[in-house]
Amino acid sequence: MIEQARGWLGAARRVAVLTGAGMSAESGVPTFRDAQTGLWAQFDPQQLATEEAFRANPTMVWDWYAMRREMVAKVEPNAGHRVLATFAKRHPQRLTLITQNVDGLHQRAGSVGVLALHGNISEDKWLDEPKACCNASQPAAARPPYCKVCGNLRRPAVVWFGEMLPLETLAAAEAAAQECDLMLVVGTSGVVYPAAGLARMAAGKVVIVNPEPTELDDAADAVLRGKAAQLLPQLLED
Ligand code: OAD
């Protein structure tokens, strides 16, 4: 199966890669939906990952993201992140990397132009449309920081449930899917849309890399049952 996928990869002029939380599992970042260790098995997303939750309890939500931000700062990209970055450098213009992950590990491994559909946990932004006062001076250092004049809050620059994805990033990801000869779908359960829809939109072959069954297996031309940091080097190294 892996040889067949390597053959498709060798022939593909345009390759799209869609990654999810499983991509970073071997770096030590918990996934969302693992029954035991997944974040959504331990925490209620409605109380942490929505605008409503943040407005109701900004300090609790800020602290939860700060805890995850500190955790991802301590881990390292794995062999899967690294081989994707190396492949893109060796084959300019051939690979588009689309990720649902907010951990920044693809970028830290050296990938450039990553389409981060769900934002980046190490950044923050204004909760409400900023006024002139918001950007005129440093926000007050608090949890969360806030504008000293109008009280506008800083919030994590991630996409919460019920929010739109960044439009330009999503459009670029859709174009990459529609133009690709091969899409690798790595470490995602395939349940969150519109990201999962990109795999169904792919013009070319679809190869899934995941140790477990996913909601996208029916859209795949090949399913490679295994872990990202182990299988991606076998697939992508010359
Ligand atoms: P999930 O937690 O839903 O799925 C993780 C997937 O990774 C599962 O299919 C696992 O089988 C697989 N997996 C585990 N270890 C792996 C490994 N070593 N190699 C490869 N695959 C492995 O995470 P996502 O699909 O990324 O949204 O979740 C999608 C979105 O839901 C996230 O971006 C997040 C969450 O709510 C936002 O934060 C907006």
Side-chain angles (χ1 to χ4, degrees):
M1 196 72 102
I2 197 152
E3 281 313 312
Q4 186 184 39
R6 275 181 67 91
W8 292 338
L9 184 75
R13 281 176 303 118
R14 308 278 313 159
V15 180
V17 181
L18 172 66
T19 68
M23 179 77 229
S24 300
E26 288 148 284
S27 292
V29 182
T31 63
F32 292 95
R33 293 180 182 78
D34 182 275
Q36 273 85 45
T37 60
L39 289 174
W40 296 157
Q42 301 168 56
F43 303 99
D44 179 358
Q46 292 307 322
Q47 288 181 20
L48 290 164
T50 65
E51 183 184 326
E52 212 183 2
F54 185 74
R55 287 188 189 278
N57 209 335
T59 303
M60 181 190 74
V61 174
W62 180 265
D63 285 352
W64 189 72
Y65 279 91
M67 183 261 293
R68 286 178 58 209
R69 192 182 282 188
E70 278 168 31
M71 188 267 293
V72 301
K74 283 187 198 138
V75 302
E76 296 296 329
N78 63 48
H81 297 106
R82 289 196 299 270
V83 79
L84 284 166
T86 306
F87 183 93
K89 279 193 194 107
R90 281 218 191 106
H91 304 270
Q93 310 296 324
R94 218 169 138 208
L95 185 134
T96 304
L97 181 49
I98 308 159
T99 190
Q100 298 168 82
N101 298 345
V102 297
D103 57 31
L105 289 177
H106 283 304
Q107 296 86 336
R108 280 174 53 199
S111 285
V112 287
V114 178
L115 300 175
L117 294 174
H118 293 164
N120 194 322
I121 201 166
S122 65
E123 294 166 8
D124 49 64
K125 61 182 184 182
W126 292 110
L127 176 61
D128 292 315
E129 192 60 40
K131 303 189 194 106
C133 56
C134 298
N135 294 317
S137 64
Q138 279 292 99
R143 303 178 2 245
Y146 60 90
C147 172
K148 290 168 202 149
V149 178
C150 73
N152 197 1
L153 300 178
R154 300 292 292 174
R155 56 158 279 185
V158 300
V159 175
W160 281 328
F161 287 102
E163 292 185 326
M164 301 268 285
L165 271 57
L167 279 181
E168 278 182 25
T169 309
L170 180 61
E174 286 172 349
Q178 283 158 350
E179 286 162 14
C180 76
D181 304 299
L182 174 73
M183 180 183 277
L184 298 179
V185 179
V186 185
T188 180
S189 56
V191 299
V192 173
Y193 282 74
L198 295 167
R200 300 198 177 275
M201 215 179 262
K205 302 274 189 203
V206 173
V207 174
I208 288 181
V209 176
N210 199 308
E212 304 289 337
T214 82
E215 291 295 314
L216 295 169
D217 288 0
D218 65 295
D221 295 282
V223 177
L224 305 178
R225 283 273 171 258
K227 296 184 173 182
Q230 290 168 13
L231 283 185
L232 288 181
Q234 293 176 37
L235 252 181
L236 293 165
E237 270 166 9
D238 289 342

